[in-house]
Amino acid sequence: MTTKIRDNVDEKKRFQPARRDIPFRHHEGSDEYFPGMLMVRCKADVVVNAPTVALAHISALREMKLPEAVNTPFVAHEKDIREIIPVFSRLTGGRSLSTASTSIAASFATSVQDSENEDLRGINLLRISSRADLEKIRKDLASTDGIEYVHRVPRRWLSAVRPILNDPLLARQWGLKAIGWNPSLPLDASNILVAVLDTGIDMTHVELLNSINYYNHDNSRNLDIVGHGTHVAGIIAAATNNSAGIAGICQRCDLNIWKIFGDTPDPVDGQYYVDPVLYQRALNAAKNSGMRVMNLSIGGTADSPTEEILFRRLIDSGCTIVAAMGNEFEAGNPIEYPAAYPDVIAVGAVGRNKKRAAFSCTGGHISLCAPGVGVLSTLPVQPSVARSEKEIEYAAWSGTSMAAPHVTAAAALVLARNPNFTPAQVKQKLTNKAKKIDKMGNIGISEEYGYGLLNIANALA
């Protein structure tokens, strides 16, 4: 579903208040995978004799059977399989055909025959009973002929930390000066399609009214309950010279928004996690829509073969992907994804002193760094159950989530001046023109700062 009209909903009547003591970072001890989920990719020949997919044949599909070699492990575990979703089926739109066991063959058939794209055929998500032995099911399916791969579904969470409120120093956009931004630069990226996959956006915000080209919130409401997506979008493209609030890095930019989060937190730890089906479908839709730059201010400590396939397709199609390094340095400094996938621009955070933010993860895959402490940007104009009444319109938030959109905006501006650049060339331009940080000494690249601090003036010179 797409929209440019905000729903008029009383949030407090519809949802119970979320826990306000939980930061927008991974809660130590939480599972890095979604419980009870598996991604399964079947081979095309498994359903070679299935009826042709069409609305008129759904009943026939539900009666079909898988080949015995493939069917055996599913029959053995059918009592534990609650749902199967052909993720990229045009017919189902990312929803299951049925929860009945006979839908396994039908789901496989639709995932192969009716895939949105040829190279994504056969990908299905299984929801498994909480009482089942998930690892045994994974191993049994992985060793089955006709199954290409099986893997658990990694969680992806927001890479922002709680705002520091009531500090007057945060009411200034110190980050713009830090990255060499000034209004005399060529800041028009209106011909570049920029994707933001996040918690949604407040389309009524005065700073964003003319920046949003497209908003897909699928089967959820068009509100940004959390506010994270609106904050990220404001860093990239808040209106300039409009006598209101802040200035975005791009004076003109067409943002394309995909909402990949639900509106309620996890009941166990109070965190907001990416919906894996919405996320994967958004990655595919962004590729099919010709996006040139993508911002992903999310992270997670487990990789995913399916996610990596989707990223490779995006990059090969000419989309530059920018992702947050993650905020878990003080919780073991894990390698986080999607930042760690090959050819992604991974962004760390620095503070006003140009030193690495204490929370910002490090590693050999980091590309460069950008402002990520006390970054002032837009928030939804109405409070919600996920934000206090003080967190409306504008606020200063911290996180590698805030650092990443600085680089996303810079990538769009580089492409506006060099429209034939590949993602590798965009990345090279931004890293080659980054400003070395004093703490780096004489080394060209470090695991704390990558090639240095983003410098837009140098990149556009």
Side-chain angles (χ1 to χ4, degrees), residues 57 72 114 135 184 197 259 272 296 299 329 353 363 400 433:
H57 295 105
T72 299
D114 193 50
E135 183 58 18
S184 65
L197 278 60
K259 184 174 178 177
Y272 287 87
L296 289 167
F329 180 84
N353 58 5
T400 53
K433 298 298 183 178

Side-chain angles (χ1 to χ4, degrees), residues 426-440:
V426 174
K427 183 177 182 178
Q428 184 178 36
K429 171 69 78 170
L430 293 175
T431 54
N432 284 353
K433 298 298 183 178
K435 185 177 181 180
K436 301 303 177 189
I437 290 175
D438 290 343
K439 193 175 179 182
M440 294 174 66

Side-chain angles (χ1 to χ4, degrees), residues 390-402:
K390 294 182 179 180
E391 297 176 271
I392 59 172
E393 294 193 88
Y394 303 94
W397 284 9
S398 300
T400 53
S401 274
M402 284 63 252

